[in-house]
């Protein structure tokens, strides 16, 4: 089957969206809890640490042009182990796909509309995701180009508007607790902005033409996302201080409440909120798309669009029951999400990479 | 012959079997024509005997209502004078007739009934001669039509003020005279089994992309319909996304807009009887461009364009944002403003959503009434609209003054959209957004926007993505989308639409290497 091809700019914007993920509004809190006032150093370090991981993703894709991640896993691991590994990856995508509406529902009911049932909020989100997946990858890619501009412009604008409130004392003392918390922070951040790029593997080698150009696009997207995350964390620490940042659920949202320019430009937190909706929507969409296409390939379906609606319904129902409350979700993120995404975002690609190298070596030795 | 007669009865309005040729005997032909046209009183069949040889006769056939009578009379006189030429002793009347009229342009001959009917129905006069299986058609069409006037829907301050009229040839002339190049190609097609409407495709060779021209031609040829009364019929039948509310062909009344589109590599579609021409492929940003953008200073035009884009967003979102904010998110309004709004809304008995719906619907009704009503009672509507619905409704405490402001702002913003179809689309979508705002607040509005962008991203016009220079983002192609860069910097025709001839500026006028 001839697959729809996307342009390199679209690959860049999809990667950036995938890397932003849902982290932009919440991550500063977790970071500040671990690395305290040095969270910004972790954020600066993450892209550096993440580079080799993203390189592995790119390398795997470049070795199997035209195939999706599920197909790559099957090709490298063989039929049985490959199917199990691919199924586990698809399961990850489908389960995370219903976490994201929960976050949105939770955010909206907490911050803006406490009387609205979260299901209604999740419904809008899931409808948008389902429509996007039904429209297909071409539409998703084009939309991501618009969204990434929107996100970049609004993030930079917010940070500029809030910058008069900077207090440099909040960063001191630097490296109070040594390097260990910083590395820990980097690892946590990687789980939010590096490893989720694995969802892109359902799109990247399969729907791209030019592999060597793709490398540039992927890295560019990744670094942009890293940069914006860094700015967000830095500004949160600079303005709110690490204590408030660590104790608030949505530090960036809190940050935007500090905006006060004249009498008119106050309470611009909804700008942050809509930025976050966009990134949340895009990462939800990427997870869902990866899950749906992955599942259809595992099952050997000709057209993935048939299973979009049922999976969308499952996603909607699950999004209401996945976490009973915020505490549960915080614990889940700490104890389940980190190892879960590391397994699929780091260990699985690393294993694939090694097996691929060994296979290649053996092939070479044979001839 | 018997077979063909049976076919005539069966095929209903398609006159006769398409390949039936004329008979040898004049009387047979005339009987056949009269049978096919039935009791049409405006069909005139005049039979004459040739003065030079009374054994031979000829017939002059035309449709009374379609022809210019002076021309027909003149032709008849000419024929009366027809004599057997002394040098060529031929008895073939047909050849003589043809020779007689050889000075007339656009003389046509043919052998089939179906073609003969087409000639008759386009207002031509047809001559048949006894003993000959050919007809001779002479253009006698009545050319009365509306004069070239200023366009009624797309007005400009600077720039040409000519507008298309209902006659297809006049419209083509208006464009032709703007591009005096032999590369401009014109293709005539006939669409509609019953109306047989003339549809013309116009494009510039090499500048238009072959595949696009071919695709449009193929789609128009595949149209299966009885009637085409306006260009919108064509658009609706050959659109890429048939259920979408957004227009995918740019319709315009202005010949200079069509000319500019042709020069970008687009294809123009003219439909007889419609003062609007369509150009395709059309992208979203084009619907917010005006031909005037290029007639003013580029900085002014860029700013005006930006203003239009902002106005489009505002006309879409102002009422829904107001509903969302006053219903759910009062905290984001600065306190003094909030107090003022709350004070005004104090006596209003409706929720904001109902209030907004009432007012917006009223406005839409006023607008529709303004279009439909006879011109003479226009002032009555404006008095009723302005005084009764605006002032009186506020004073009676039914709606708040802010709501009146919001509705009038929405209305004024919507008039900045240069294309009527686009502003209609936005008008309808606005109501959906109002419901979303009333149910889910700003979150609903925003998710609605996400779905709207997804929909726009999905649309295609003749295979060209609707949001073309923006998504897919094309480097260096955004000089003529949201802004209007100076003419000397617009070196290339739009990517994806242009054919082989990419450059807009001539090689010699280039700044570098010129």
């Amino acid at each position: 089957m001839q697959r729809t091809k996307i342009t390199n700019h679209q690959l860049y914007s999809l990667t950036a969206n995938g890397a932003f993920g849902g982290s932009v509004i919440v991550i500063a809190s977790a970071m500040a809890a671990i690395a305290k006032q040095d969270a910004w150093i972790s954020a600066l370090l993450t892209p550096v640490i993440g580079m080799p991981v993203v390189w592995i993703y790119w390398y795997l894709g470049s070795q199997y042009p035209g195939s999706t991640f599920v197909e790559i896993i099957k090709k490298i691991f063989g039929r049985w182990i490959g199917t199990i590994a691919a199924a586990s990856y698809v399961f990850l995508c489908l389960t995370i796909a219903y976490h994201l509406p929960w976050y949105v529902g939770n955010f909206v009911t907490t911050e803006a509309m406490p009387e609205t049932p979260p299901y209604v909020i999740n419904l809008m989100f899931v409808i948008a995701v389902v429509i996007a997946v039904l429209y297909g990858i071409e539409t998703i890619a084009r939309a991501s180009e618009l969204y990434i501009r929107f996100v970049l412009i609004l993030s930079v604008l917010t940070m500029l508007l809030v910058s008069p409130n900077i207090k440099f004392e909040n960063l001191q003392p630097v490296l109070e607790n040594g390097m260990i918390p910083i590395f820990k922070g980097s690892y946590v951040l990687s789980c939010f902005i590096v490893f989720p790029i694995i969802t892109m593997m359902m799109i990247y080698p399969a729907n791209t033409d030019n592999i060597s150009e793709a490398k540039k696009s992927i890295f560019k997207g990744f670094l942009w996302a890293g940069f914006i995350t860094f700015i967000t964390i830095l500004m949160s620490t600079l303005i709110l201080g690490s204590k408030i940042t660590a104790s608030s659920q949505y530090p960036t949202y809190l940050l935007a409440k500090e905006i006060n320019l004249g009498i008119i430009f106050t309470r611009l937190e909804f700008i942050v909120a809509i930025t976050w909706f966009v990134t949340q929507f895009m990462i939800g969409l990427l997870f869902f798309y990866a899950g749906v296409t992955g599942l259809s390939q595992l099952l050997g379906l000709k057209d993935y669009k048939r299973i979009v609606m049922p999976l969308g319904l499952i996603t909607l129902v699950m999004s209401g029951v996945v976490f009973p409350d915020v505490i549960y979700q915080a614990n889940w993120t700490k104890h389940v999400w980190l190892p879960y995404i590391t397994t699929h975002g780091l260990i699985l690609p690393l294993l694939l990479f090694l097996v691929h190298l060994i296979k290649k070596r053996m092939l070479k030795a044979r001839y | 012959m018997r077979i063909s007669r049976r076919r005539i009865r069966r095929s209903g309005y398609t006159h006769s079997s398409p390949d039936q040729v004329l008979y040898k005997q004049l009387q047979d032909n005339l009987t056949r024509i009269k049978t096919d046209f039935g009791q049409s009183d405006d069909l005139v069949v005049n039979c004459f005997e040739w003065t030079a040889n009374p054994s031979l006769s000829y017939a002059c056939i035309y449709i009374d209502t379609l022809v210019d009578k002076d021309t027909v009379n003149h032709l008849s006189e000419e024929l009366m004078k027809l004599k057997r030429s002394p040098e060529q002793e031929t008895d073939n009347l047909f050849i003589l007739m043809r020779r007689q009229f050889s000075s007339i342009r656009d003389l046509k001959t043919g052998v089939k009934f179906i073609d003969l009917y087409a000639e008759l129905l386009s207002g031509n006069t047809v001559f048949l001669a006894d003993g000959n299986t050919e007809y001779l058609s002479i253009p006698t069409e009545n050319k009365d039509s509306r004069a070239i006037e200023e366009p009624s829907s797309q007005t400009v301050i600077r720039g040409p003020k000519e507008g298309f009229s209902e006659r297809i040839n006049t419209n083509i002339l208006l464009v032709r005279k703007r591009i005096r190049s032999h590369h401009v190609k014109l293709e005539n097609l006939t669409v509609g089994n019953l109306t047989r409407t003339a549809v013309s495709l116009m494009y510039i060779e090499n500048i238009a992309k072959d595949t696009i021209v071919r695709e449009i031609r193929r789609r128009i040829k595949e149209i299966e319909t009885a009637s085409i009364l306006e260009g919108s019929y064509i658009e609706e039948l050959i659109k890429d996304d048939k259920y979408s509310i957004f227009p995918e062909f740019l319709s315009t009344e202005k010949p200079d807009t069509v000319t500019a589109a042709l020069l970008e590599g687009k294809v123009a579609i003219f439909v007889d009887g419609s003062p609007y021409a369509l150009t395709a492929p059309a992208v979203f940003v084009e619907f917010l461009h005006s031909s005037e953008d290029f007639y003013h200073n580029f900085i002014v035009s860029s700013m005006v364009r930006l203003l239009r884009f902002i106005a489009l967003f505002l006309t879409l979102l102002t009422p829904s944002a107001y509903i969302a904010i006053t219903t759910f998110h009062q905290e984001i309004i600065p306190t003094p403003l909030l107090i003022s709004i709350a004070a005004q809304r104090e006596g209003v008995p409706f929720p904001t959503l109902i209030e907004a719906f009432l007012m917006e619907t009223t406005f839409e009704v006023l607008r529709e009434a303004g279009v439909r009503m006879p011109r003479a009672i226009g002032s009555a509507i404006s008095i009723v609209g302005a005084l009764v619905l605006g002032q009186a409704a506020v004073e009676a405490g039914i709606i708040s003054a802010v709501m009146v402001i919001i509705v009038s702002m929405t209305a004024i913003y919507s008039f900045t959209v240069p294309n009527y179809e686009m502003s209609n689309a936005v008008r309808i979508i606005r109501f959906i957004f109002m419901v979303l705002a009333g149910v889910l607040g700003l979150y609903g509005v925003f998710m609605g926007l996400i779905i709207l962008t997804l929909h726009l991203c999905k649309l295609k016009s003749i295979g060209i993505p609707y949001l073309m220079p923006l998504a897919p983002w094309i480097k260096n192609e955004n000089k003529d989308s949201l802004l209007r860069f100076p003419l000397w910097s617009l070196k290339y025709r739009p990517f994806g639409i242009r054919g082989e001839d990419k450059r807009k500026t001539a090689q010699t006028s280039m700044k570098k290497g010129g």
Side-chain angles (χ1 to χ4, degrees):
Chain A
M1 197 185 79
Q2 187 63 40
R3 287 201 167 105
T4 324
K5 298 293 179 198
I6 61 173
T7 65
N8 281 307
H9 188 269
Q10 288 171 341
L11 187 62
Y12 142 75
S13 56
L14 279 170
T15 318
N17 271 315
F20 264 138
S23 62
V24 86
I25 200 169
V26 284
I27 190 63
S29 158
M31 298 289 292
I34 296 167
K36 303 276 164 13
Q37 66 272 30
D38 295 333
W40 63 278
I41 306 179
S42 308
L44 204 57
L45 218 59
T46 310
V48 183
I49 298 170
M51 287 278 233
V53 182
V54 177
W55 185 84
I56 290 179
Y57 296 166
W58 170 79
Y59 179 80
L60 281 175
S62 72
Q63 295 302 302
Y64 298 91
S67 31
T68 63
F69 195 49
V70 168
E71 287 163 354
I72 294 175
I73 296 176
K74 279 188 176 175
K75 275 177 193 162
I76 295 179
F77 282 167
R79 199 171 157 207
W80 288 107
I81 304 175
T83 307
I84 294 167
S88 153
Y89 166 77
V90 168
F91 187 71
L92 166 94
C93 294
L94 286 175
T95 45
I96 303 308
Y98 58 69
H99 287 191
L100 295 151
W102 182 87
Y103 285 106
V104 173
N106 183 47
F107 175 81
V108 174
T109 45
T110 318
E111 297 286 343
M113 298 189 286
E115 285 165 37
T116 311
Y119 264 122
V120 185
I121 302 198
N122 298 354
L123 177 70
M124 271 309 277
F125 189 92
V126 175
I127 286 178
V129 168
V130 164
I131 287 178
V133 176
L134 284 177
Y135 277 163
I137 182 64
E138 219 180 343
T139 305
I140 297 174
R142 276 188 222 134
S144 80
E145 285 179 285
L146 291 179
Y147 297 154
I148 196 68
R149 282 215 156 61
F150 181 77
V151 169
L152 288 181
I153 292 171
L154 283 192
S155 310
V156 171
L157 184 77
T158 318
M159 294 309 152
L160 279 179
L161 286 177
V162 84
S163 58
N165 304 347
I166 287 177
K167 285 188 217 93
F168 280 101
E169 305 86 75
N170 282 334
L171 286 191
Q172 291 158 348
V174 178
L175 291 178
E176 191 187 13
N177 300 318
M179 287 303 281
I180 303 297
I182 291 176
F183 282 119
K184 271 189 187 163
S186 282
Y187 166 67
V188 171
L189 189 57
S190 301
C191 291
F192 285 93
I193 71 165
V194 183
F195 302 147
I197 301 180
I198 196 74
T199 52
M200 279 295 298
M201 294 292 285
M202 284 307 284
I203 299 166
Y204 146 60
N207 298 80
T208 39
D209 269 335
N210 195 336
I211 297 290
S212 55
E213 284 282 313
K215 186 178 184 180
K216 219 170 89 188
S217 308
I218 292 176
F219 277 106
K220 195 175 146 203
F222 169 63
L223 290 177
W224 259 114
F227 172 70
I228 295 292
T229 316
F230 163 68
I231 294 280
T232 314
I233 292 172
L234 180 67
M235 288 306 247
S236 301
T237 329
L238 271 172
I239 290 163
L240 301 173
S242 61
K243 268 196 191 130
I244 299 177
T245 308
S247 59
S248 73
Q249 201 185 350
Y250 304 109
T252 318
Y253 191 68
L254 198 65
L255 182 67
K257 285 186 182 174
E258 299 284 319
I259 296 177
N260 194 350
L261 282 182
I263 315 169
I264 303 299
F265 287 107
T266 53
R267 308 291 310 246
L268 288 185
E269 65 267 25
F270 75 93
I271 291 188
V272 174
I274 58 182
T275 318
W276 182 66
F277 290 153
V278 174
T279 56
Q280 195 78 357
F281 170 73
M282 271 317 287
I283 188 72
L285 181 55
L286 285 176
F287 270 112
F288 190 66
Y289 178 80
V292 169
T293 48
L295 186 62
S296 81
Q297 280 178 6
L298 274 181
L299 300 175
L301 301 179
K302 271 182 194 156
D303 188 5
Y304 73 85
K305 286 180 183 170
R306 284 185 186 185
I307 55 171
V308 174
M309 289 294 262
L311 285 176
L313 274 178
I314 294 173
T315 305
L316 175 62
V317 174
M318 290 304 286
S319 72
V321 294
V322 55
F323 301 127
D325 50 48
V326 182
I327 311 297
Y328 188 94
Q329 175 262 325
N331 276 329
W332 187 90
T333 307
K334 209 185 261 172
H335 300 299
V336 184
W337 170 249
L338 300 185
Y340 194 20
I341 192 68
T342 313
T343 317
H344 292 87
L346 183 66
I347 297 174
L348 179 65
L350 211 60
L351 275 178
L352 285 168
F353 180 62
L354 291 177
V355 174
H356 172 75
L357 283 189
I358 293 165
K359 267 187 162 177
K360 214 170 157 189
R361 187 71 52 83
M362 278 164 68
L363 271 180
K364 241 183 209 167
R366 198 179 291 168
Y367 299 111
Chain B
M1 219 178 103
R2 209 171 272 163
I3 297 164
S4 69
R5 278 227 174 120
R6 212 177 290 149
R7 234 182 252 163
I8 299 165
R9 284 196 202 103
R10 245 191 308 153
S11 59
Y13 53 73
T14 48
H15 307 301
S16 60
S17 70
D19 293 327
Q20 178 65 49
V21 292
L22 297 180
Y23 310 119
K24 196 107 184 164
Q25 295 300 313
L26 180 62
Q27 281 313 318
D28 285 348
N29 286 331
L30 294 183
T31 323
R32 171 74 188 265
I33 292 168
K34 279 178 185 160
T35 330
D36 280 353
F37 275 83
Q39 294 301 315
S40 233
D41 284 336
D42 56 354
L43 176 78
V44 178
V45 181
N46 289 333
C47 219
F48 301 103
E49 280 177 359
W50 188 22
T51 39
N53 181 356
S55 67
L56 287 176
S57 52
Y58 65 90
C60 161
I61 311 163
Y62 56 90
I63 293 177
D64 200 28
T65 40
L66 289 178
V67 296
D68 183 30
K69 296 218 174 72
D70 293 342
T71 324
V72 176
N73 288 343
H74 178 71
L75 284 178
S76 301
E77 279 167 25
E78 287 287 307
L79 265 188
M80 289 299 183
K81 286 184 247 161
L82 195 64
K83 291 201 177 79
R84 190 191 312 214
S85 47
E87 67 273 15
Q88 278 171 318
E89 293 287 318
T90 174
D91 259 350
N92 194 328
L93 184 57
F94 188 78
I95 290 172
L96 281 175
M97 277 194 324
R98 201 153 79 182
R99 201 174 293 151
Q100 180 76 11
F101 293 128
S102 60
S103 63
I104 295 176
R105 291 176 300 111
D106 229 359
L107 208 64
K108 279 184 212 151
T109 58
V111 292
K112 286 180 193 164
F113 271 107
I114 186 94
D115 300 333
L116 191 153
Y117 295 154
E119 294 295 331
L120 275 183
L121 291 165
S122 25
N124 299 343
T125 303
V126 170
F127 287 97
L128 292 173
D130 206 3
N132 218 303
T133 60
E134 271 181 294
Y135 68 81
L136 183 73
S137 149
I138 294 163
T140 52
E141 191 185 343
N142 187 348
K143 295 199 169 151
D144 287 351
S145 82
R146 197 160 60 97
I148 296 171
E149 289 165 13
E150 202 176 331
S152 56
S153 71
Q154 295 161 324
T155 45
V156 289
I157 291 172
R158 177 158 180 190
K161 298 212 161 65
E162 289 172 323
F164 288 133
S165 76
E166 279 78 5
R167 265 177 54 82
I168 188 166
N169 287 347
T170 319
N171 297 350
I172 292 169
L173 171 142
L174 286 174
V175 177
R176 271 262 191 208
K177 76 174 187 188
R178 284 184 163 75
I179 318 175
R180 302 198 185 274
S181 160
H182 62 280
H183 290 296
V184 177
K185 301 284 179 235
L186 188 78
E187 281 177 32
N188 289 327
L189 303 166
T190 312
V191 191
N193 295 335
L194 192 56
T195 56
R196 318 284 303 155
T197 311
V199 173
S200 295
L201 291 189
M202 196 188 240
Y203 55 91
I204 306 178
E205 202 181 26
N206 288 333
I207 292 180
K209 206 176 190 172
D210 262 354
T211 47
I212 291 177
V213 177
R214 226 178 298 142
E215 178 66 20
I216 294 178
R217 189 189 301 133
R218 185 185 66 81
R219 287 192 196 178
I220 292 182
K221 278 186 176 167
E222 275 177 7
I223 292 178
E224 283 285 339
T225 180
S227 55
I228 296 285
L229 298 182
E230 224 275 342
S232 57
Y233 280 50
I234 304 251
E235 166 166 6
E236 205 158 320
L237 291 167
I238 69 173
K239 219 171 150 174
D240 289 52
D241 305 86
K242 293 201 163 47
Y243 295 102
S244 178
I245 192 171
F246 288 97
E248 288 177 7
F249 287 66
L250 186 76
S251 63
T252 175
E253 264 187 299
K254 291 176 61 56
D256 54 326
T257 310
V258 172
T259 314
L262 287 178
L263 288 167
E264 287 189 339
K266 285 161 189 149
V267 181
I269 304 168
F270 297 93
V271 177
D272 200 13
S274 159
Y276 283 87
L278 300 174
T279 63
V283 291
F284 178 74
V285 286
E286 249 181 282
F287 290 91
L288 289 162
H289 292 178
S290 159
S291 61
E292 211 177 352
D293 291 349
F294 279 93
Y295 309 148
H296 291 298
N297 180 296
F298 69 95
I299 300 172
V300 177
S301 303
S302 298
M303 289 303 118
V304 172
R305 260 190 197 178
L306 268 186
L307 209 62
R308 267 186 231 133
F309 279 95
I310 294 168
L312 181 81
F313 264 93
L314 288 180
T315 188
L316 183 66
L317 296 177
T318 314
S320 45
Y322 176 71
I323 295 170
I325 290 172
T326 50
T327 316
F328 294 102
H329 317 282
Q330 296 89 349
E331 76 275 7
I332 67 174
I333 312 175
T335 318
L337 182 58
L338 180 65
I339 291 170
S340 140
I341 291 177
Q344 284 174 31
R345 280 196 46 76
E346 206 186 350
V348 178
F350 306 114
T352 327
L353 177 63
I354 305 290
E355 196 190 346
F357 246 94
L358 265 176
M359 279 312 281
E360 288 287 343
T361 319
T362 313
F363 168 68
E364 293 301 336
V365 169
L366 268 181
R367 183 161 152 163
E368 186 62 19
V371 179
R372 303 290 154 233
M373 75 193 167
R375 297 242 187 280
I377 51 170
S379 54
I381 285 280
S382 48
I383 291 170
V384 171
L387 289 181
V388 178
L389 293 171
Q391 210 176 341
V394 175
E395 278 172 14
I398 299 172
I399 50 157
S400 62
V402 189
M403 200 62 233
V404 177
I405 297 173
I406 296 279
V407 171
S408 23
M409 270 158 71
T410 316
I412 291 168
Y413 293 147
S414 76
F415 295 136
T416 58
V417 180
N419 188 283
Y420 191 59
E421 276 82 35
M422 184 54 86
S423 90
N424 275 351
V426 173
R427 241 165 101 184
I428 304 298
I429 298 170
R430 186 166 71 216
F431 282 91
I432 302 173
F433 273 93
M434 280 159 62
V435 175
L436 283 176
V439 177
L440 284 169
L442 278 182
Y443 169 76
V445 173
F446 193 68
M447 285 321 275
L449 265 184
I450 284 193
I451 295 176
L452 183 66
T453 33
L454 282 172
H455 180 69
L456 283 172
C457 287
K458 189 234 167 193
L459 294 184
K460 280 184 171 182
S461 171
I462 318 288
I464 303 295
Y466 201 46
L467 294 178
M468 182 63 156
L470 302 168
W473 178 263
I474 296 152
K475 240 184 185 174
N476 300 330
E477 283 291 329
N478 276 284
K479 292 177 174 174
D480 184 21
S481 63
L482 295 180
L483 300 176
R484 202 274 279 176
F485 276 51
L487 282 177
W488 43 261
S489 73
L490 300 170
K491 288 174 192 157
Y492 298 99
R493 303 177 203 287
F495 174 85
I497 298 169
R498 67 191 176 205
E500 291 154 28
D501 189 1
K502 293 176 191 171
R503 273 182 186 283
K504 231 176 199 174
T505 45
Q507 206 77 28
T508 43
S509 69
M510 294 282 303
K511 281 193 148 185
K512 283 176 202 168

